Amino acid sequence: MKEIDSAKLLAEMRSMAAQAKGVPLAETTEADATGGFSELLKNAINGVNEAQQKAESLVNAFETGEKGIDLPQVMVATQKARVAFTAMVEVRNKLLDAYQEIMRMQV
């Protein structure tokens, strides 16, 4: 699996948070960045949850034989949910690693 560059990931997250607020990155304050990060993380978790719920509902619809639901559609939704969950777990692991590294620092 490809190594994740944490500095690039953090810069990307800040950029996305600024875009979501409609504010250019240069104009964000420290309070905005902190609130923006938590909101970004919350939105990402909600997005993963929605993808999993959509995949589960498609699986149930396919199993019950609803018309208009085909196997490729179900498989794609399931894989999207799996990839989103795996990415979220990787981000969580990197955040935990960063937190542990900060806690090991001597002041």
Side-chain angles (χ1 to χ4, degrees), residues 9 19 28 57 60 63 66 69 78 93 99 102:
L9 179 64
Q19 287 175 353
T28 59
S57 68
N60 290 337
E63 288 174 347
E66 285 185 27
I69 307 294
T78 304
N93 290 343
Y99 174 76
I102 290 169

Side-chain angles (χ1 to χ4, degrees), residues 10-103:
L10 182 59
E12 210 171 277
M13 287 178 159
R14 285 184 178 156
S15 172
M16 289 173 23
Q19 287 175 353
K21 288 184 176 183
V23 178
L25 187 59
E27 296 179 15
T28 59
T29 64
E30 188 67 29
D32 288 340
T34 305
F37 179 75
S38 65
E39 286 298 316
L40 180 66
L41 197 56
K42 190 186 306 182
N43 290 341
I45 292 170
N46 288 338
V48 170
N49 185 39
E50 289 173 10
Q52 288 178 330
Q53 288 177 350
K54 179 182 177 186
E56 185 178 343
S57 68
L58 282 172
V59 167
N60 290 337
F62 182 75
E63 288 174 347
T64 58
E66 285 185 27
K67 294 193 186 287
I69 307 294
D70 55 349
L71 184 59
Q73 181 183 9
V74 173
M75 296 303 293
V76 167
T78 304
Q79 287 300 316
K80 281 183 181 180
R82 182 174 293 150
V83 168
F85 182 76
T86 303
M88 184 183 68
V89 168
E90 288 297 321
V91 169
R92 182 211 59 186
N93 290 343
K94 288 295 181 180
L95 287 172
L96 270 174
D97 289 343
Y99 174 76
Q100 289 171 347
E101 184 66 30
I102 290 169
M103 294 306 292

